[in-house]
Amino acid sequence: MVEEHAVGICPGGVETVDLLASLGRVLAEGILADRDFPPFDRATRDGYAVRAADLAEVPARLEVVGAVKAGDWPEPGVCSVGRGQAVEIMTGAPLPAGADAVVMVEHTSAAQDPHPNVAKNTTLGWGTLGSVTLAGKFIEVQRNVRSGENFVRRGAEALAGQVLLDRGRWLDHAGIAIAASVGKSRVQVFRKPRVAVLSTGDEVVEIDAMPGPAQIRNSNSYSLVAQVQNAGGEAVRLAIAPDERGRLRSLIEEGLGCDLLLLAGGVSMGKYDLVEQVLGELQADFYFTGAEIQPGRPVVFGSCDWNTFVYANGQADAGTRARAPAPHKKYFFGLPGNPVSTMVTFELFAKPMIEALAGQTPQRLIFLRARLKSDIRTKTGLKRFLPAVLSGEFENAEVELTRWQGSGDIAALAWANCYVVVPPERERIDSGEWVSLLMR
Ligand code: AMP
Ligand code: MG
């Protein structure tokens, strides 16, 4: 269901945007066929519109009595196919009356007029000539066709009024083509959910600062903003929270003003991992704390009943603020801070939530399968997502793990384009076996 998912997740409002601005957005309206598709019996080959029965025996000779190119309308009575006749036709053109098949031009050749001395009073349109007396044009057809061959009947693709794209559909180029084909130059889409991104850690500094000897730059906020945008959300990057209760709490409060809060770091078992404690102070409900996966084991998911802060200027930054009357459930994820863990847990858990908040019909995770190039040895117990390089294609797809130093190894991701998924019970997977991949 679009409006309300299992845990009561609703998309925000609706806006109308130009069709090309709807790429990557979620439809808030159904898109209907405004007429039959195709709107006429449409030739799918260049050739001749014929009566299949005339080609019961081949080769057969037919008189060419007209031509229809794409965009022409063959008026019945002016351009139609009688017994022993054919009308030259181009791909995309309407089938003239009387014809029930198209024979491909490749299966025809020019033929002699069998009765050259009889004048042909064709009444059919040859371009703009209209009704004229023509020297007969004949073709010989080498192959027969079935009735219905090489054209698509009016309405066979969709009937007028039929829903082509459902509300809740994420728009890609194909969806845009469909909307264009029914004349929707503006479409109604759901507003993007606002997703706050909050990195934590005393050691983390902004990317334009020079890190001290024990400091690292904040890459997580940036990967998360990029992932949020890819998932159809509007990211709000907050300041880095130190491992200190008061400041962390006020940044969490700020983040809860958005539709979803993503925290990175501070959810493990360390002495300074304060995220869960501070969320506990805010009376958070935790739906899960930890997942049997690696990387990403400490991931947490929950919600706070939160009186949404409405800022005087409508922005999620400092300003005069007043509490809105109704309490609001606000969801959060606490993602582990190791960069690869952050990315994988986003993909597995936060992305579907953003899609739901964006009004999108729930999607399945997209994964591929490929043949393993070299053996994998791991420990059992956790489902593992190991950075890997996918190469080859289709039935020759192959995958190999990248060398990496664990989930903090961001450099390994420069080479990897996917993760090999190792089931929790597998201690070894031998080369040559087909494995599942989570695409990055
Ligand atoms: P934590 O989950 O806070 O225990 O952090 C796990 C590891 O991820 C530590 O090595 C952190 O330094 C690193 N880390 C935490 N936050 C970030 C960040 N924003 N960007 C890059 N690395 C981080
Ligand atoms: Mg930390």
Side-chain angles (χ1 to χ4, degrees):
M1 239 168 72
V2 173
E3 277 79 3
E4 181 123 347
H5 298 276
V7 272
I9 300 157
C10 307
V14 168
E15 59 186 330
T16 303
V17 297
D18 284 343
L19 180 57
L20 281 176
S22 72
L23 181 65
R25 304 294 298 271
V26 178
L27 273 176
E29 60 173 337
I31 301 289
L32 311 183
D34 64 328
R35 54 181 183 159
D36 290 344
F37 279 76
F40 47 81
D41 293 347
R42 182 186 63 211
T44 56
R45 297 275 189 253
D46 295 321
Y48 294 89
V50 297
R51 298 153 72 103
D54 288 347
L55 304 178
E57 280 176 29
V58 284
R61 190 176 303 211
L62 299 176
E63 185 189 359
V64 181
V65 295
V68 216
K69 56 182 169 42
D72 284 351
W73 180 248
E75 278 305 334
V78 178
C79 182
S80 46
V81 177
R83 265 175 72 183
Q85 295 182 330
V87 163
E88 198 175 359
I89 195 164
M90 315 302 154
T91 301
L95 203 71
D100 66 350
V102 172
V103 61
M104 288 164 67
V105 68
E106 293 88 330
H107 301 152
T108 66
S109 54
Q112 293 295 315
D113 183 346
H115 310 291
N117 300 324
V118 179
K120 305 295 181 304
N121 189 13
T122 56
T123 54
L124 307 181
W126 279 102
T128 56
L129 290 178
S131 174
V132 289
T133 301
L134 293 168
K137 177 182 171 185
F138 284 80
I139 52 163
E140 187 186 85
V141 182
Q142 285 92 28
R143 287 206 202 168
N144 54 20
V145 280
R146 277 175 289 106
S147 175
E149 207 169 321
N150 294 331
F151 75 95
V152 181
R153 276 189 207 285
R154 173 179 179 163
E157 295 161 356
L159 294 173
Q162 192 177 320
V163 178
L164 300 180
L165 297 172
D166 282 312
R167 181 177 153 95
R169 167 73 180 256
W170 183 81
L171 283 168
D172 62 359
H173 59 279
I176 284 180
I178 291 168
S181 72
V182 301
K184 291 287 290 183
S185 53
R186 302 205 13 109
V187 290
Q188 276 185 19
V189 293
F190 289 113
R191 285 192 195 284
K192 294 182 179 190
R194 297 178 76 237
V195 181
V197 170
L198 174 54
S199 284
T200 73
D202 280 343
E203 77 282 27
V204 183
V205 297
E206 272 310 345
I207 60 170
D208 43 12
M210 182 54 73
Q215 291 179 321
I216 53 160
R217 294 195 182 91
N218 175 15
S219 64
N220 283 344
S221 287
Y222 290 84
S223 60
L224 282 174
V225 166
Q227 285 179 292
V228 165
Q229 286 171 353
N230 271 339
E234 188 187 312
V236 177
R237 188 170 55 82
L238 303 180
I240 298 164
D243 296 319
E244 182 271 309
R245 247 173 243 275
R247 179 76 180 128
L248 178 58
R249 178 172 170 149
S250 73
L251 283 165
I252 287 178
E253 286 180 359
E254 187 178 335
L256 288 170
C258 288
D259 300 304
L260 176 67
L261 167 62
L262 301 180
L263 291 128
V267 289
S268 309
M269 301 304 287
K271 190 172 167 188
Y272 298 100
D273 290 328
L274 303 173
V275 166
E276 274 181 73
Q277 289 173 37
V278 171
L279 285 163
E281 287 172 19
L282 294 168
Q283 261 86 59
D285 285 327
F286 288 93
Y287 303 126
F288 63 76
T289 52
E292 300 293 288
I293 56 169
Q294 203 276 320
R297 193 172 192 178
V299 58
V300 304
F301 172 45
S303 69
C304 288
D305 275 334
W306 194 250
N307 283 316
T308 320
F309 287 127
V310 180
Y311 295 93
N313 58 5
Q315 301 291 308
D317 56 14
T320 356
R321 57 195 194 180
R323 280 176 189 272
H328 232 77
K329 189 169 272 203
K330 289 299 176 77
Y331 294 93
F332 60 80
F333 285 95
L335 309 177
N338 265 319
V340 184
S341 313
T342 314
M343 292 177 203
V344 169
T345 48
F346 176 92
E347 223 41 52
L348 295 177
F349 301 107
K351 187 178 177 197
M353 172 61 100
I354 293 172
E355 289 170 349
L357 288 167
Q360 199 182 331
T361 313
Q363 299 294 301
R364 300 225 155 265
L365 268 183
I366 295 176
F367 63 89
L368 303 180
R369 286 175 71 76
R371 201 185 291 277
L372 197 59
K373 263 171 130 174
S374 10
D375 301 351
I376 296 180
R377 301 274 178 274
T378 57
K379 296 196 194 94
T380 57
L382 300 175
K383 191 182 208 93
R384 286 170 205 276
F385 297 85
L386 306 176
V389 181
L390 171 67
S391 57
E393 69 285 308
F394 303 122
E395 60 282 0
N396 298 320
E398 289 186 315
V399 68
E400 185 158 41
L401 298 188
T402 41
R403 223 169 51 83
W404 76 320
Q405 307 299 324
S407 44
D409 186 356
I410 207 166
L413 295 183
W415 309 109
N417 52 16
C418 63
Y419 303 95
V420 169
V421 185
V422 181
E425 70 283 0
R426 296 295 300 270
E427 205 163 19
R428 58 179 284 173
I429 304 180
D430 293 331
S431 66
E433 200 174 311
W434 286 81
V435 290
S436 294
L437 310 178
L438 176 68
M439 298 313 293
R440 207 172 72 198

